[in-house]
Amino acid sequence: MPPKLIEELLKLISLGEVLNEAQQKEMNDYKFWKTQPVPKFDDVVEYNTEGPIDSSKTPKDIPAEPLPLLSEFEWSTIDVDSKSELDEVYELLYQHYVEDQDATFRFKYSHEFFRWALKPPGWKKDWHVGVRVRSSKKLVAFIAAVPANLKLQITGNEIPSVEINFLCIHKKLRSKRLAPVLIQEITRRVNRENIWQAMYTAGIVLPSPVTTCRYTHRPLNWSKLHDVGFSHLPSDQTKAAMVAKYALPNSTKTPGLRQLEEKDLEEVQSLLTIFMKKFELVQTFTLDEMKHWFLGGEERASVIKSYVVEDKNGKITDFFSYYLLPFTVLENSKHDELGVAYLYYYATDSALGERDVYQKRLVNLVNDAMVTAKEFGVDVFNALTCQDNSLFIKDAKFGLGDGMLNYYLFNYKVKRMSGGINATTKEVDTEGSGMGVVLF
Ligand SMILES: CCCCCCCCCCCCCC(=O)SCCNC(=O)CCNC(=O)[C@H](O)C(C)(C)COP(=O)(O)OP(=O)(O)OC[C@H]1O[C@@H](n2cnc3c(N)ncnc32)[C@H](O)[C@@H]1OP(=O)(O)O
């Protein structure tokens, strides 16, 4: 049984889960969402009916002026190159973003993380949208969009899109219908750039998920997780047995494993493109985007770690990446930070061969990823059940969390796909998933 408090950690990671709105409303009760171009819960979509929901508009039809706000508030485009403005976003998210029930853990965003997450190639300042109190200038709400190209593998349809993230409203301004205003304003700003589709994830159920994935976690430093109070000792176990269970080798096992370098990008792009054919919905990457997302861009952000396996002939056969986003631990005498890694994109040419060999390869790669992650102070390694993660989750000793993450597309209907879990039991489905996109 995964320890109770690790479950809470997973809830925390599952954005929005803490809102306790798991109870699904009827479509008609979604006063805002029922007015938006999103599929209804009972819409049945087949491959031949996939496509935009509303394709009637051009940028000329979109108002040039921002949506009206109540007079005490004003729109404020955030300059993420400004340290003081990033500090304000940090402060807002730190105090008001997602937290566990006891408010013991909080995301510890760094400026570097924000710049990596908010400034990929094609980023627009206009898409980092804040709301301030007019009189005090205090930042009280935020939402962000970044460009992303999505592709449906079965139909071959490409969808120029944005990914929406970091929607956050000050706790004192909740339930005042400000979220729909933020969402409509970011939609307006994106539409002005002739982009009509978006992808986003949330713990809560909205009309209508493309798929639902589950969080899983793998303790790397069981003792520390126990120290900070969210890893309970099962009654039939000893501490030593738990530490031994999660012990990892000191060094990686796969011959030829090394950090990704800029010279590898083209080869990794080809490997990733072939590997991604396994999934139904994927993100495609230009070389510039690969440099940003996997090497940390010009700044070489250290929040993203990427590795490749180079065989004896100099060919790259495998690739994996994960990003680091620690938690601040409140009110603990021993530790004030928890290292957390999230599995990001990966690819392996073994996927083209026998399933057993592929599955074993994935387990080895993920174990190696975790060995490298220990060097960066990672205490717990998380993965969703998207991609082919369900093929290694059990063997690599990941525990199932109770946090669910729903994936959504705005203004595009697609056939629902597997999220790597059984729709009824929510247990891991060893057939893998159709979702190839990873958002953070
Ligand atoms: C083409 C370009 C398109 C671009 C846009 C694409 C869409 C992007 C969509 C956004 C993707 C974001 C991805 C992320 O960042 S997910 C992370 C969300 N953030 C958090 O969970 C942080 C903590 N919570 C908060 O800050 C607030 O509770 C938020 C801001 C979440 C809601 O504020 P508040 O609690 O004060 O509510 P309200 O009175 O203003 O508004 C109530 C309405 O808002 C609907 N609601 C509630 N939560 C969410 C949610 N997570 N996604 C979409 N809709 C949400 C809700 O169903 C209701 O509508 P309806 O039920 O009446 O219909």
Side-chain angles (χ1 to χ4, degrees):
M1 282 290 288
K4 180 183 162 289
L5 279 159
I6 288 193
E7 296 302 316
E8 265 187 17
L9 171 70
L10 265 296
K11 268 193 207 152
L12 166 62
I13 299 159
S14 164
L15 305 180
E17 187 71 13
V18 287
L19 292 180
N20 267 341
E21 285 189 7
Q23 207 70 37
Q24 187 173 319
K25 304 189 275 188
E26 296 291 317
M27 187 68 196
N28 213 31
D29 299 329
Y30 288 91
K31 297 283 178 262
F32 167 63
W33 281 108
K34 73 177 180 186
T35 67
Q36 298 300 298
V38 291
K40 297 182 183 47
F41 291 117
D42 54 3
D43 278 358
V44 179
V45 184
E46 294 302 334
Y47 295 124
N48 61 0
T49 53
E50 286 186 341
I53 294 168
D54 175 8
S55 52
S56 63
K57 297 196 191 92
T58 72
K60 284 198 206 104
D61 303 315
I62 305 300
E65 294 305 314
L67 262 80
L69 274 176
L70 288 174
S71 61
E72 60 260 50
F73 300 109
E74 62 188 22
W75 293 109
S76 171
T77 297
I78 301 297
D79 178 1
V80 288
D81 288 325
S82 148
K83 183 182 173 310
S84 62
E85 293 192 29
L86 264 196
D87 280 341
E88 290 180 280
V89 176
Y90 170 83
E91 192 59 24
L92 175 73
L93 294 190
Y94 185 75
Q95 301 290 348
H96 304 283
Y97 206 49
V98 189
E99 61 186 30
D100 62 314
Q101 252 162 14
D102 307 332
T104 319
F105 308 105
R106 292 187 183 178
F107 286 116
K108 189 171 181 182
Y109 290 109
S110 59
H111 284 205
E112 199 188 32
F113 188 93
F114 279 136
R115 284 195 298 269
W116 177 68
L118 294 175
K119 284 181 67 187
W123 71 281
K124 299 218 165 5
K125 187 177 165 191
D126 201 37
W127 291 352
H128 303 150
V129 184
V131 172
R132 292 181 189 278
V133 176
R134 196 179 286 276
S135 55
S136 64
K137 304 295 175 212
K138 187 179 167 60
L139 185 70
V140 288
F142 185 69
I143 190 168
V146 294
N149 285 308
L150 304 177
K151 187 175 179 190
L152 286 157
Q153 297 289 31
I154 291 174
T155 54
N157 289 348
E158 301 202 25
I159 319 173
S161 305
V162 290
E163 289 171 358
I164 305 287
N165 214 327
F166 303 117
L167 167 62
C168 183
I169 294 177
H170 191 292
K171 282 176 185 160
K172 290 208 171 128
L173 294 174
R174 296 276 169 89
S175 305
K176 296 185 190 309
R177 313 300 301 178
L178 183 54
V181 182
L182 283 162
I183 293 168
Q184 285 169 290
E185 176 58 12
I186 195 97
T187 304
R188 186 190 70 80
R189 293 182 187 208
V190 170
N191 285 168
R192 292 279 295 174
E193 301 291 337
N194 202 20
I195 295 181
W196 306 90
Q197 273 73 38
M199 178 169 243
Y200 47 102
T201 52
I204 63 164
V205 178
L206 302 165
S208 295
V210 171
T211 193
T212 304
C213 294
R214 190 163 174 179
Y215 276 100
T216 70
H217 55 87
R218 204 300 189 176
L220 303 194
N221 186 349
W222 186 86
S223 298
K224 182 168 169 189
L225 296 175
H226 184 256
D227 280 350
V228 298
F230 58 70
S231 213
H232 288 179
L233 182 64
S235 54
D236 58 345
Q237 293 290 343
T238 62
K239 282 187 186 180
M242 294 306 283
V243 170
K245 175 176 176 187
Y246 292 117
L248 283 167
N250 286 330
S251 52
T252 57
K253 289 260 186 296
T254 313
L257 184 80
R258 61 166 173 81
Q259 292 217 346
L260 171 74
E261 293 171 34
E262 193 161 352
K263 66 174 165 68
D264 306 319
L265 287 179
E266 257 174 76
E267 226 183 318
V268 173
Q269 187 186 40
S270 312
L271 183 70
L272 200 55
T273 306
I274 296 169
F275 181 74
M276 295 284 236
K277 291 196 196 302
K278 293 184 69 47
F279 308 114
E280 288 170 55
L281 182 55
V282 300
Q283 180 168 0
T284 59
F285 296 96
T286 62
L287 282 177
D288 268 358
E289 286 170 329
M290 302 230 345
K291 186 172 165 186
H292 178 86
W293 290 121
F294 304 132
L295 279 176
E298 290 304 330
E299 194 181 348
R300 289 292 191 269
S302 63
V303 293
I304 176 73
K305 305 290 176 194
S306 301
Y307 291 79
V308 291
V309 178
E310 183 179 332
D311 74 7
K312 279 184 265 163
N313 306 317
K315 184 174 166 260
I316 289 175
T317 53
D318 311 79
F319 154 75
F320 62 76
S321 57
Y322 54 90
Y323 63 88
L324 306 174
L325 178 52
F327 283 133
T328 294
V329 180
L330 302 176
E331 289 169 32
N332 186 277
S333 57
K334 276 192 174 168
H335 307 283
D336 55 11
E337 189 175 317
L338 205 61
V340 190
Y342 300 79
L343 185 64
Y344 197 43
Y345 286 92
Y346 60 86
T348 163
D349 68 2
S350 65
L352 300 172
E354 276 175 34
R355 189 188 149 106
D356 284 4
V357 177
Y358 169 46
Q359 186 159 6
K360 216 165 154 217
R361 185 74 172 177
L362 281 184
V363 176
N364 289 341
L365 289 170
V366 169
N367 274 322
D368 277 354
M370 295 192 292
V371 171
T372 63
K374 283 188 78 155
E375 285 170 38
F376 308 115
V378 172
D379 301 307
V380 58
F381 199 101
N382 296 310
L384 282 162
T385 54
C386 62
Q387 301 152 294
D388 265 348
N389 300 358
S390 56
L391 273 67
F392 64 73
I393 279 169
K394 190 161 164 276
D395 288 350
K397 300 183 188 165
F398 282 71
L400 278 184
D402 59 4
M404 299 288 169
L405 191 68
N406 300 295
Y407 278 75
Y408 300 97
L409 281 175
F410 183 89
N411 194 20
Y412 205 94
K413 43 185 178 43
V414 288
K415 188 169 157 51
R416 227 189 120 95
M417 56 194 72
S418 162
I421 48 174
N422 179 294
T424 323
T425 63
K426 310 287 185 219
E427 291 296 316
V428 170
D429 175 352
T430 47
E431 285 311 300
S433 85
M435 180 52 73
V437 185
V438 189
L439 303 188
F440 38 76

